[in-house]
Amino acid sequence: MTSWILAGWRRSPVALALIATVPAGLLLAGFDNRIVAPIILVLNLIGARYSWRAARTSPSGLGPWRLIAAGRAASALCTAGLMLSWQSVAGITRLLMFGLLAAGVFASISRRFTGRAKTALVAELVAVLAAGFMSIWYFAIEPVLAHRTGTDPSVATIGWPLGDVLLLTAVAAIILGGAVSRFAAPVTLFAGSLALYLVVDLTWLFTQDPRLLSGLAVADLLMTLAPVLTVARAGLPFTARTSGPPAWATHLPLAAMLTGCLLMATVTIREGQLLPWGGLVCGLTVMTGGAAWRQLISVRQSHDQLTTDTLTGLCNRAGLDQALDRTAKRGDPAALLLIDLDGFKLVNDAYGHAAGDAFLTHVGRQLRAAVRGVDVCARIGGDEFAVLLADTGHVNDAIAAAQRILAVAAGHPARFDEDLVPVRASIGIATAPAGYDSKVLLRQADTAMYHSKRAGSHRYARYEPSMIDHRADDAALAEDLQHALDRDELHVLYQPQVDLISGRPIAAEALIRWQHPTRGPISPVRFIPVAERSGAINDIGLWVLEQALIQLAAVPGGEHLHMSVNLSPRQLREPAIVHDILAVLDRVGADPRRLVLEVTESALVDDTGGIAALRVLREHGIRIAIDDFGTGYSSLQYLTRLPVDILKIDRSFVAELDDTPEGSAVAGAIVRLSQVLHLATVAEGVETEPQAAELRALGCDIGQGYLYAKPLSPTDFAAFVSGTTIPDSPRPR
Ligand code: C2E
Ligand code: CA
Ligand code: CA
């Protein structure tokens, strides 16, 4: 058992002594009731004494323990009466015992309930009481009243069986009151003793076996240990607060009704009373069945209400927890997917809350469609969903499910008015072998989900033990980033882009830098994704644009130059983005034709709103470059329909150039593609002269990289353009 009992025993020599001596005494007695009866008497006396003390030590148990103490005292009197053959004393005191013990239990349970819950409990207990009464009536009382047993009606033959019905109801009260789900409560020990007492007593009704007295002694021992241990651990309440009765217990009243009906049928057949009682009993059984059925549905309904998300009809958090617990209890392995929508807040902001709800419902439907019927789908937070796969803990199954979910989501954008809004999500996968802890599993899936989100939109990640939970650090960074602009911690560097043939600078890419007051310089690779998620990128991006355009105008002799500025996917989804960019151009007085906006492929794939924005910007003369081209997943056919002017060959392909056909395969293909589509090409990350030579040979127009210059401060950039040597600038080889 639990630490409570262990701790109690250690502190209670009385409990230890009882445990050691009573079973030994009973064994020695060998069912000799001349020895068993005194043992019971002593147990009753100790029980009465300690129950009384328990009443004082545990304040909430004052009433219940006092009643129980009185019940044990009555039981002691009864035992003495039996030993001295004072039948009437024994009869009355035992009756008192039943009443007082049951009253103690009812008193302790009833104080935990109020209002409707109390009424419901009473109704359930009435059903149990009635079923118990019917059984006792038929098997014990009626035979006595009809003089079929050879015993006369008396307190012992009528009253005691009725007392057993009271005890049965008391045990039911403890179970239905939800007090037994914890071993640590004295009431659990007490309930066990009552149940044992009941079983022994009922067996006695039918067998009259005198050896059963030893059984009562064991029940009395348990009933005595409860208060003894309570006293040892002073202050423990009689009943502990628990989350409710165990699941099976809710069917107890139904079982009671069924018992009643079965009994009626048995009686009708056994007594040969098919006419007229058969029809009545059948009708009553069907009626009770109907009522029970209806009650079962109500129980289900209220259970469903507790575990269902009203918006999507999927499970809610509680439902998922239950499903996880079920799988864990069955000893099955588990595979859990945690799904977080990307950019849901934007939908809410742009289209309103009703549309946001419709979007979530749409996502719920797509999610359901993407997984099997047996898998559990849940919405566990605003825009957070989860899937618990059935019958598998295999990571490959989980990955397949994640891929299916992403594909279904990508293929089914939501429609608001004229707009198609893409469904994008980040998925975290965690799997666990049998015997897992659901909390740990959820946390792991959550960590994986966050990693997936950091890595970019609409993808999945499976949990690895090496994954660090970046959440706290990212949150701190996001917080600091809010003030970075005001505190002048951000600045922009300019990396020249040169004509590969003439070697003359023709443009620059604006690249942001953050000088953190305590952490020092932080790479944009680290903080731009954080700014994307927090939304700070909107202000920061426009600020970079403004700085870059001001700088462009300030470069002496730079009238022919143009400026490349990065535009993040999040910015592109901002409804006011076109207006904002044009406003900056206007404010600075810059020519839109000297501006290039760099967007990544992933920002464009299935993002119709973004493409429309780019189209408008392009109509104003701004050019669009696809950044990191070749690393995303846009189809070539798709490319022909995009508003694009420039392809930037990702630096990983430039790094592969090694004068072999294999090395130049991708870069060459991109150059030819842009020639066909009449686009310009810029090669990123050009670090060596041989790379530059090969790019020239392939027909690439423009190069950018350390070979020419690292990202430069405004002064150094101006110097670079005017042809002055820059002392700090590395000019490899
Ligand atoms: P990107 O747009 O692909 O920028 C090019 C990156 O390659 C820059 O890194 C640049 O310093 C680096 N680079 C240039 N030449 C070479 C070379 O020869 N070799 C190597 N190994 N690297 C080279 P940086 O400045 O750290 O920027 C990283 C990323 O951060 C950028 O990748 C861009 O995605 C993002 N970023 C930077 N500034 C901004 C900004 O103002 N707005 C947005 N949205 N993103 C930005
Ligand atoms: Ca770029
Ligand atoms: Ca790039």
Side-chain angles (χ1 to χ4, degrees), residues 268-595:
T268 310
I269 295 166
R270 255 181 70 174
E271 314 286 326
Q273 295 283 344
L274 275 176
L275 279 176
W277 284 105
L280 293 182
V281 170
C282 279
L284 183 70
T285 307
V286 171
M287 223 163 69
T288 315
W293 192 11
R294 178 67 193 90
Q295 200 208 338
L296 214 63
I297 291 171
S298 304
V299 169
R300 281 268 156 74
Q301 270 174 342
S302 56
H303 176 263
D304 284 353
Q305 264 165 20
L306 288 178
T307 56
T308 306
D309 171 46
T310 40
L311 183 64
T312 60
L314 305 177
C315 286
N316 59 14
R317 182 65 199 237
L320 177 72
D321 285 346
Q322 258 180 26
L324 278 167
D325 286 348
R326 261 201 314 272
T327 314
K329 265 195 197 128
R330 271 204 309 267
D332 289 346
L336 180 70
L337 281 71
L338 223 62
I339 303 148
D340 194 86
L341 298 185
D342 299 333
F344 172 67
K345 197 176 165 298
L346 288 176
V347 178
N348 246 350
D349 293 351
Y351 301 94
H353 279 277
D357 284 355
F359 188 77
L360 291 173
T361 316
H362 171 80
V363 172
R365 264 202 307 274
Q366 299 314 324
L367 192 60
R368 223 8 324 161
V371 299
R372 300 167 302 163
V374 283
D375 299 330
V376 176
C377 290
R379 183 169 79 109
I380 56 175
D383 62 345
E384 232 183 80
F385 294 79
V387 173
L388 176 65
L389 296 185
D391 323 315
T392 178
H394 209 286
V395 73
N396 288 346
D397 293 334
I399 289 176
Q403 287 169 338
R404 236 174 11 247
I405 291 169
L406 291 177
V408 169
H412 295 85
R415 180 181 286 280
F416 296 121
D417 309 326
E418 292 300 286
D419 299 345
L420 280 179
V421 179
V423 178
R424 305 183 64 81
S426 300
I427 303 183
I429 297 173
T431 54
Y436 63 87
D437 177 342
S438 357
K439 282 209 186 69
V440 173
L441 187 71
L442 268 165
R443 203 167 46 238
Q444 290 179 345
D446 196 45
T447 305
M449 190 274 290
Y450 196 64
H451 269 255
S452 150
K453 192 151 270 231
R454 289 178 101 231
S457 165
H458 213 59
R459 56 181 75 203
Y460 66 85
R462 54 179 285 206
Y463 175 77
E464 317 264 356
S466 61
M467 276 183 178
I468 306 165
D469 197 343
H470 288 286
R471 213 163 289 227
D473 196 42
D474 283 4
L477 220 52
E479 168 82 27
D480 292 349
L481 203 51
Q482 280 191 327
H483 314 290
L485 261 182
D486 307 335
R487 294 179 185 158
D488 247 359
E489 293 164 12
L490 301 178
H491 62 277
V492 184
L493 297 185
Y494 302 90
Q495 187 174 37
Q497 296 178 348
V498 303
D499 183 314
L500 279 171
I501 308 282
S502 68
R504 277 166 38 95
I506 55 166
E509 178 178 1
L511 293 161
I512 194 169
R513 294 292 177 265
W514 183 10
Q515 187 66 32
H516 192 279
T518 53
R519 299 186 192 205
I522 301 179
S523 161
V525 179
R526 174 81 182 87
F527 74 81
I528 290 290
V530 174
E532 286 232 9
R533 283 195 298 277
S534 75
I537 192 67
N538 293 322
D539 289 343
I540 293 175
L542 289 176
W543 178 80
V544 172
L545 176 68
E546 182 162 352
Q547 295 298 305
L549 292 175
I550 292 171
Q551 182 56 32
L552 184 65
V555 178
E559 295 75 19
H560 65 288
L561 294 176
H562 62 256
M563 184 58 77
S564 248
V565 176
N566 292 287
L567 193 66
S568 90
R570 169 79 187 247
Q571 281 179 278
L572 205 50
R573 274 186 258 138
E574 207 47 40
I577 187 65
V578 174
H579 169 268
D580 291 347
I581 291 175
L582 295 178
V584 173
L585 280 161
D586 206 40
R587 203 159 51 235
V588 180
D591 181 353
R593 284 169 302 180
R594 294 179 69 191
L595 175 62

Side-chain angles (χ1 to χ4, degrees), residues 509 598 627-628 648 650-651 684:
E509 178 178 1
E598 297 192 2
D627 208 351
D628 308 335
K648 288 191 84 175
D650 189 67
R651 66 166 175 272
E684 292 184 321

